[in-house]
Amino acid sequence: MSRRARVEHERQRPAKRERIVVKPTRRSAAAAARAAAQPGPAAAPTRGIFRTVHVTHRKRFGFHAAVLLALTAFFGTAALPAYASTNEASPMGNARTALAVQTLTSGDVTAQVVSRDGLQIAESPQMLDSTMNTSVSPSVEALAVQLMGAVASGRLVGSTPNHIPEIADLAEGNAVPGCGVDYRVLQSISVALQHFSQVGVSDINRRCTGQIEGAGTESSHYANGGGHAVDFYLLDGAPLTGGDSRSLELIRLLDPLVPNGSGLGQINCRSSISVENFKPFDDTCNHLHIDFGNATGPTLAGG
């Protein structure tokens, strides 16, 4: 076969396909293995992103809610009035109890100090006179609440006409014209309750009950707004004469405490006794009369 014929024959033969395989070198294989072992950053699905953000927001909301709850509890507690408890039951239940009260004296000036929520509020002597003021001071209200606790327990009783409502008004913080009670009268009743199981009071402010008796409008029960005197008619269930053993005991208890010039009735109903601050005078022998119409101080000592 001629050369030309051979060339033509080669052209007409079908071409063969050859596959070329390039094998990686040993170094390239190791690098590929390391690349496969290290996970690349995976794109988080949209739902996963939402869940992450939602959880973070929920945690943040929970923290804010806890802070808000704590602040609400704190200010709610701070807004509540704080009262000191008494040993007597209150006629209004346990909703109201007496405040702690003490007296500070400096020279001729006596100021009442009321402790409330850890703070001390000083009151002028004029503020203690609920018989003339249009408002009730914290000290007067506190002591009145305590006395009404004794009323609720049956330890403090009235008579006819009943003057206990005059104390009840003060315990409610109500200054009723013509029905006020001298702070020293309230203190004297409190002293009696500390030493006797039962105390009976028959007269305080005659303006409030419309009484005109004995000394008439000049009586400390009536003059200067009324309520500047108190009549005890019963101690430990026994009636008083002003000269009986219980009357004498109460006189001895009150004499060192009352301000100088305080009046003391029933001098005609007993044998002569020695007193320091009381100024005795005649009176009927069916009670014990304690009078602050001419007393020189606004409170009892230590009261």
Side-chain angles (χ1 to χ4, degrees):
M1 183 181 296
S2 65
R3 181 179 179 183
R4 182 172 182 175
R6 286 198 302 270
V7 172
E8 188 68 24
H9 177 74
E10 290 293 334
R11 286 180 179 177
Q12 293 178 0
R13 289 179 59 184
K16 293 183 180 180
R17 289 186 175 184
E18 296 183 0
R19 186 174 61 180
I20 302 174
V21 178
V22 179
K23 294 184 179 181
T25 63
R26 185 170 301 177
R27 182 176 179 180
S28 299
R34 283 196 301 270
Q38 294 178 356
T46 303
R47 184 177 180 183
I49 293 175
F50 174 78
R51 182 180 298 129
T52 302
V53 173
H54 178 70
V55 170
T56 303
H57 176 71
R58 184 169 55 192
K59 289 182 180 179
R60 187 174 303 165
F61 174 80
F63 172 77
H64 290 168
V67 172
L68 179 61
L69 182 61
L71 290 175
T72 302
F74 172 78
F75 288 108
T77 304
L80 296 176
Y83 297 99
S85 62
T86 68
N87 293 328
E88 303 289 355
S90 169
M92 291 73 74
N94 294 325
R96 304 185 59 189
T97 51
L99 301 170
V101 179
Q102 70 181 78
T103 301
L104 298 182
T105 304
S106 176
D108 296 330
V109 180
T110 301
Q112 195 72 12
V113 175
V114 178
S115 298
R116 188 193 296 269
D117 295 339
L119 302 176
Q120 290 187 330
I121 307 171
E123 298 180 83
S124 67
Q126 291 76 19
M127 289 299 297
L128 297 175
D129 187 6
S130 65
T131 64
M132 299 297 289
N133 290 330
T134 57
S135 61
V136 180
S137 80
S139 297
V140 172
E141 183 177 351
L143 189 51
V145 169
Q146 186 179 27
L147 296 183
M148 288 308 298
V151 172
S153 64
R155 296 190 58 229
L156 177 60
V157 297
S159 63
T160 304
N162 189 8
H163 290 267
I164 298 298
E166 298 160 20
I167 302 175
D169 285 333
L170 299 177
E172 287 296 320
N174 299 325
V176 181
C179 292
V181 181
D182 193 304
Y183 184 62
R184 296 162 294 187
V185 166
L186 298 176
Q187 289 180 307
S188 298
I189 297 173
S190 179
V191 170
L193 285 167
Q194 292 171 20
H195 293 87
F196 297 94
S197 60
Q198 187 182 55
V199 174
V201 172
S202 58
D203 208 343
I204 302 178
N205 194 330
R206 289 178 181 170
R207 285 180 179 268
C208 198
T209 55
Q211 296 169 257
I212 302 292
E213 301 178 12
T217 58
E218 299 300 317
S219 169
S220 293
H221 288 296
Y222 196 94
N224 299 318
H228 299 288
V230 57
D231 289 347
F232 293 96
Y233 80 98
L234 192 73
L235 290 175
D236 286 347
L240 305 182
T241 65
D244 60 277
S245 61
R246 290 178 176 81
S247 293
L248 295 176
E249 183 179 355
L250 183 55
I251 292 171
R252 286 192 291 267
L253 289 170
L254 289 174
D255 184 51
L257 303 177
V258 298
N260 189 262
S262 299
L264 174 65
Q266 289 75 39
I267 190 175
N268 54 306
C269 305
R270 58 180 175 266
S271 301
S272 178
I273 59 174
S274 176
V275 290
E276 179 180 356
N277 292 313
F278 276 128
K279 304 301 179 185
F281 54 83
D282 289 350
D283 203 350
T284 56
C285 301
N286 59 357
H287 65 283
L288 176 62
H289 179 96
I290 307 297
D291 193 314
F292 298 102
N294 297 311
T296 58
T299 67
L300 269 61

